[in-house]
Amino acid sequence: MGSPHDQAYRLLKEYSNGFMVSQVLFAACELGVFDLLAEAPGPLGSAAVAAHLGISCWGTEQLLDACVLLKLLHVEMRRGEAVYANTELASAYLARTSPTSQQHMLLYVARTTYLCWAHLAEAVREGKNQYLKAFGVPSEELFSAIYRSEGERLQFLRGLGDVWSVEGRGVLAAFDLSPFPLICDLGGEYSRIQGLVDERVAMETRGWVPPGSPARLALCPLAGCSGALAKECTSLYAGCRVTVFDMPDVVQTAKRHFSFPEDGRISFCEGDFFKDPLPEADLYLLARVLHDWTDDKCSRLLARIHGACRTGGGILVIESLLDADGRGPLTTQLYSLNMLVQTEGRERTPAQYRALLAPAGFHDIQCRRTGGTYDAILARK
């Protein structure tokens, strides 16, 4: 046992090196290490991995050994050579062929969110997001320069599917939703993106973004879009139908690239939930939406939902809840800092969500911890 001083120093080093751990994970995903090992007939040596992926032997060996220490890969010696294979963690969550793969979302975090966090100190100092420094986009133009291409939009949608393939059933089963036969999943983040191409062109014209530059805006996981949460909902509740409400570009992308049950229980409706009429429903899903907005904008949206909701219906808010004192758990606290860096919102306590829902007209507000990343709040009209 070391002294308290030694233990404190080790903890400090662990924290300060945390970004290196993240980058090992991100790099191995981007290079295709876990996909290659998932498809290989058996463990591979570093030279074989390097040859298959077209990367350097020396760099590959270092990366693989780092992955072993992080428990992402297994290593064993065969005929004097170290050979590598995926661990159970990597097989389940990092190989693209796994039904619970998180690779799309991890690559999104690596290429977007990570860049935002380089400006955390400025965000804390100024109390606002750091789009201008991270992406060359003024903070007043929130969400107007994201995913100009079909490919970028598709990658993000697939990342959302990654999240709900693991988290979706837990939040949807937190309450019995069978009394709500008609459900509307309000696709959150993308419902703020008006005229992606037109706004991007306008920004280029104003000189805010160089023409053709790959500026990206970092977002967080949400529900609608690909219909991933809607699929989980219809799987869990045999008697329900789900309408996914989202922006036209997103709806069209989802229809082109994602498959849906042929029984017609999932449908799509195009629109902006701040401006356009909302589909009538018994229950509205707001998954990872309210945390993006100020209290005033949340109140506006909730009032619109209350007006569209059928009598006796309700709303299910899915968010990562802070503890009652607002100082934990750690993951949610970090997510709240992420909202500071990227949006105009924050994570909230159950009491703070109640304070938003009640004035909008909702009652019988119940909060349930799921034991996962995201929790559930059910309120009635």
Side-chain angles (χ1 to χ4, degrees), residues 264-279:
R265 293 172 59 206
I266 297 176
S267 60
F268 285 83
C269 182
E270 300 176 0
D272 177 343
F273 59 32
F274 275 122
K275 299 194 301 186
D276 297 321
L278 302 179

Side-chain angles (χ1 to χ4, degrees), residues 112-356:
T112 56
T113 306
Y114 185 84
L115 300 180
C116 270
W117 273 71
H119 305 283
L120 176 61
E122 291 96 326
V124 172
R125 186 178 297 116
E126 300 168 6
K128 64 180 183 181
N129 71 66
Q130 296 297 303
Y131 289 130
L132 187 59
K133 292 186 180 70
F135 304 108
V137 178
S139 62
E140 293 78 13
E141 299 290 323
L142 262 66
F143 308 105
S144 60
I146 182 175
Y147 303 121
R148 182 180 180 185
S149 73
E150 175 89 354
E152 289 176 323
R153 189 183 303 121
L154 179 60
Q155 180 183 350
F156 186 61
L157 293 180
R158 284 174 171 156
L160 303 176
D162 289 354
V163 172
W164 297 122
S165 71
V166 175
E167 304 273 4
R169 186 161 291 258
V171 292
L172 293 172
F175 296 96
D176 179 12
L177 304 183
S178 59
F180 305 104
L182 183 58
I183 297 174
C184 180
D185 180 5
L186 293 174
E189 319 272 354
Y190 270 120
S191 293
R192 300 168 299 191
I193 304 170
Q194 292 281 8
L196 291 168
V197 175
D198 291 343
E199 292 190 13
R200 173 57 181 256
V201 171
M203 286 174 18
E204 290 179 352
T205 302
R206 296 172 196 167
W208 290 343
V209 177
S213 69
R216 299 166 182 258
L217 220 52
L219 300 179
C220 298
L222 59 131
C225 300
S226 67
L229 200 58
K231 292 177 185 177
E232 291 291 338
C233 199
T234 55
S235 172
L236 194 59
Y237 299 101
C240 81
R241 291 180 293 121
V242 182
T243 299
V244 178
F245 184 88
D246 221 314
M247 294 299 292
D249 284 340
V250 180
V251 170
Q252 294 307 314
T253 298
K255 288 180 176 179
R256 279 194 294 271
H257 296 282
F258 296 91
S259 61
F260 299 93
E262 297 180 357
D263 57 12
R265 293 172 59 206
I266 297 176
S267 60
F268 285 83
C269 182
E270 300 176 0
D272 177 343
F273 59 32
F274 275 122
K275 299 194 301 186
D276 297 321
L278 302 179
E280 188 180 25
D282 300 302
L283 181 74
Y284 292 85
L285 301 182
L286 276 182
R288 302 288 288 169
V289 173
L290 296 182
H291 74 160
D292 292 318
W293 302 107
T294 63
D295 287 355
D296 287 344
K297 288 186 179 178
C298 288
S299 297
R300 267 177 47 207
L301 177 57
L302 291 171
R304 297 195 84 231
I305 294 171
H306 186 271
C309 187
R310 293 176 175 175
T311 301
I315 183 171
L316 184 72
V317 174
I318 299 171
E319 296 284 358
S320 188
L321 293 176
L322 285 168
D323 293 336
D325 63 4
R327 298 190 184 93
L330 176 60
T331 296
T332 309
Q333 199 74 55
L334 293 174
Y335 284 178
S336 201
L337 278 174
N338 195 44
M339 294 299 98
L340 172 64
V341 170
Q342 300 189 62
T343 73
E344 56 187 58
R346 58 177 172 145
E347 306 298 348
R348 296 176 172 91
T349 67
Q352 288 169 331
Y353 280 113
R354 287 190 180 97
L356 291 174

